[in-house]
């Protein structure tokens, strides 16, 4: 949030280099692993979206305005996302 606020104050219309914002760190694991009687991560995600709605809305709006990629809540662990989407052998 703070980095985006600082960027907004720069007066630049868009980012100069490809950038992304990933917000899964705001999801707090409380319910444990999913099972027959426990929705697990889905309940944690739902609670995080409800609690952090204003933050997520801000991040989504600012990233869209300035050409920044936005990984919405529940997209996954960023290290694995980078590996699956951007890494290549020898890169």
């Amino acid at each position: 949030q703070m980095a985006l606020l600082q960027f907004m104050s720069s007066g630049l219309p868009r980012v100069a280099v490809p950038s992304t914002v990933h917000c899964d760190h705001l999801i707090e694991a409380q319910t444990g692993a999913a099972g027959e009687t426990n929705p697990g991560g889905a309940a944690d995600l739902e609670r995080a979206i409800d609690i952090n709605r204003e933050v997520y809305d801000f991040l989504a709006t600012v990233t869209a305005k300035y050409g920044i990629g936005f990984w919405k809540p529940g997209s996954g662990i960023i290290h694995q996302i980078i590996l699956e989407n951007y890494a290549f052998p020898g890169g």
Side-chain angles (χ1 to χ4, degrees):
Q1 290 171 306
M2 293 305 298
L4 291 174
L5 288 169
Q6 289 178 336
F7 180 80
M8 291 169 62
S9 69
S10 74
L12 295 171
R14 295 182 65 78
V15 293
V17 297
S19 306
T20 61
V21 168
H22 190 275
C23 54
D24 272 356
H25 285 281
L26 292 174
I27 300 172
E28 182 181 342
Q30 291 187 352
T31 59
E36 282 186 34
T37 60
N38 181 8
D44 291 333
L45 175 59
E46 189 175 314
R47 187 180 58 260
I49 290 172
D50 183 52
I51 292 170
N52 300 302
R53 185 171 314 280
E54 184 177 2
V55 174
Y56 293 145
D57 289 347
F58 169 76
L59 296 173
T61 301
V62 172
T63 55
K65 179 176 181 177
Y66 293 104
I68 301 169
F70 179 67
W71 293 89
K72 66 182 182 176
S75 294
I77 299 168
I78 189 62
H79 307 104
Q80 187 65 29
I81 296 298
I82 290 172
L83 177 65
E84 292 174 7
N85 291 278
Y86 301 108
F88 58 92

